[in-house]
Amino acid sequence: METSIIKSQAYGKDRVRIVRVVRRADGWQEIADYSVCVLLSGEAFESSYTKGDNKLVVATDSQKNIVYYLGKTLPPCRVMVPEVFASEIAAFMVKKYSHVTTCHVKIITKPWERMMFDSKGHPHSFCREGKETRWTEAFVTRKGEGLGVRMNSGFYDLEVLKTTNSSFTDFWRDELTTLPEMADRVLSTKVLCQWTFVSDDLETLQKKPFNRIFAGAKRNTLDALANDPRAWVHASVQSALYVMADRILNDFADVDDVYYALPNIHYFPFDLSKFGLKNLQSDAEVYMPIADPSGYITATISRPSKGKI
């Protein structure tokens, strides 16, 4: 005979990643990026603990669906402010399920800063400013009477996102292909960029404008993603990578080659068709970020060798 009692209980769904994009008629777009935790509690759920009776248990998967459902159906002003969205979710749960006594909703905001160019905000490109890490490494090797120097510099964890002007179409298809073509999509990546200097003169190399090159590499990375038509519509991550590296090589003659690694952080539209809502292709407004698995695009871009046309 059980003698223990339930002192407190709550259950639900944690780390529901939801992104809401608001697209305005003038081309200005806004983004809210959340991680949501929903917890339900009430005496009606005690039997699920003590007797294994699930008749009143609202599945945690259903709770997840409700977050995306409300993200789509609520007016944008009630989604884009986390305090309002959290209270809307909690109120919906309590009103819909009469056996729920309390719904606890916690939202963690994943902030995006709008990219700035010439002191003006970009309409649809964002980054997590100041989160990247700058690094360098030097290799000095004895070469006869002198020294050979190779230096790699760069940054990593520069997280960027744009809500439009990216696509993936006309790719190889066969019987194992399930990915639909995407004429427009959310593009996000966490940039690793590395550039290389090679010299037989250590003293001369140390006088290179390293700080200016770092700032220029970061600026070119952001500007190419947001503003360069070559990295826009009908362009893959591969083509954006090439444009970024090409701009750095053209701006800085001291750089010998540029390496990028761009994991493609997927933001898939959440399929709400089961609830009678359109949220795919051109109707997409509510997205589910998926970190794993991810695409992973890398390349080293260098200058043509002498004599090469």
Side-chain angles (χ1 to χ4, degrees):
M1 179 179 180
E2 296 87 353
T3 57
S4 303
I5 62 171
I6 294 177
K7 188 174 181 179
S8 65
Q9 53 82 17
Y11 81 100
K13 202 72 162 181
D14 195 9
R15 291 184 286 183
V16 180
R17 294 283 283 110
I18 177 173
V19 168
R20 176 69 157 92
V21 175
V22 178
R23 297 181 172 88
R24 307 199 182 279
D26 61 1
W28 193 261
Q29 302 194 6
E30 298 177 5
I31 185 172
D33 189 343
Y34 300 141
S35 179
V36 181
C37 176
V38 181
L39 296 173
L40 306 182
S41 60
E43 290 185 3
F45 298 119
E46 290 188 2
S47 60
S48 68
Y49 292 84
T50 60
K51 299 178 181 179
D53 183 353
N54 295 326
K55 291 184 178 62
L56 294 178
V57 173
V58 180
T60 63
D61 188 68
S62 300
Q63 296 177 44
K64 174 206 70 180
N65 290 341
I66 288 170
V67 172
Y68 291 109
Y69 174 84
L70 293 176
K72 179 71 174 183
T73 58
L74 287 172
C77 63
R78 309 197 75 76
V79 179
M80 306 305 282
V81 180
E83 289 83 356
V84 177
F85 191 40
S87 59
E88 288 282 353
I89 297 170
F92 182 93
M93 296 289 189
V94 173
K95 290 177 182 179
K96 182 170 180 61
Y97 304 109
S98 60
H99 57 291
V100 173
T101 301
T102 301
C103 176
H104 171 203
V105 175
K106 181 178 181 179
I107 292 180
I108 297 174
T109 300
K110 309 287 188 178
W112 288 101
E113 292 81 36
R114 194 174 295 275
M115 290 187 194
M116 302 293 293
F117 300 96
D118 298 324
S119 301
K120 296 180 181 179
H122 195 274
H124 57 254
S125 296
F126 306 84
C127 65
R128 301 200 198 276
E129 188 62 49
K131 304 298 183 183
E132 75 279 359
T133 298
R134 179 180 175 179
W135 65 277
T136 191
E137 58 185 359
F139 301 84
V140 178
T141 304
R142 191 185 309 280
K143 296 182 68 174
E145 297 298 321
L147 299 174
V149 185
R150 178 183 178 88
M151 184 175 294
N152 298 321
S153 295
F155 57 83
Y156 59 87
D157 286 349
L158 175 63
E159 196 164 354
V160 297
L161 178 147
K162 62 180 183 178
T163 52
T164 189
N165 277 0
S166 176
S167 65
F168 189 53
T169 60
D170 197 30
F171 50 88
W172 182 280
R173 306 193 73 89
D174 58 29
E175 70 278 6
L176 299 177
T177 305
T178 59
L179 183 70
E181 295 200 351
M182 289 168 280
D184 194 37
R185 61 176 180 172
V186 172
L187 172 64
S188 182
T189 186
K190 189 174 287 188
V191 179
L192 184 155
C193 178
Q194 171 185 307
W195 50 94
T196 302
F197 311 93
V198 178
S199 177
D200 291 329
D201 188 333
L202 177 59
E203 184 175 351
T204 299
L205 180 61
Q206 290 174 338
K207 294 178 181 178
K208 300 296 184 184
F210 297 115
N211 289 337
R212 187 164 62 87
I213 293 171
F214 165 74
K218 180 181 175 182
R219 181 188 67 251
N220 274 306
T221 298
L222 297 178
D223 191 56
L225 182 81
N227 297 317
D228 196 313
R230 295 176 295 169
W232 281 10
V233 180
H234 306 305
S236 62
V237 177
Q238 286 91 329
S239 62
L241 182 158
Y242 178 82
V243 171
M244 295 172 185
D246 183 60
R247 288 175 54 146
I248 294 172
L249 290 170
N250 284 327
D251 280 0
F252 301 105
D254 294 318
V255 173
D256 287 275
D257 58 50
V258 178
Y259 169 83
Y260 274 101
L262 302 177
N264 195 351
I265 303 172
H266 299 296
Y267 284 66
F268 291 130
F270 190 80
D271 188 358
L272 293 167
S273 59
K274 293 181 179 179
F275 313 116
L277 298 172
K278 294 181 179 179
N279 192 57
L280 301 176
Q281 302 296 334
S282 61
D283 297 304
E285 296 175 313
V286 175
Y287 297 84
M288 180 172 59
I290 298 178
D292 303 313
S294 70
Y296 194 70
I297 294 88
T298 72
T300 300
I301 312 300
S302 63
R303 305 179 189 283
S305 59
K306 292 182 179 181
K308 182 178 179 180
I309 297 176

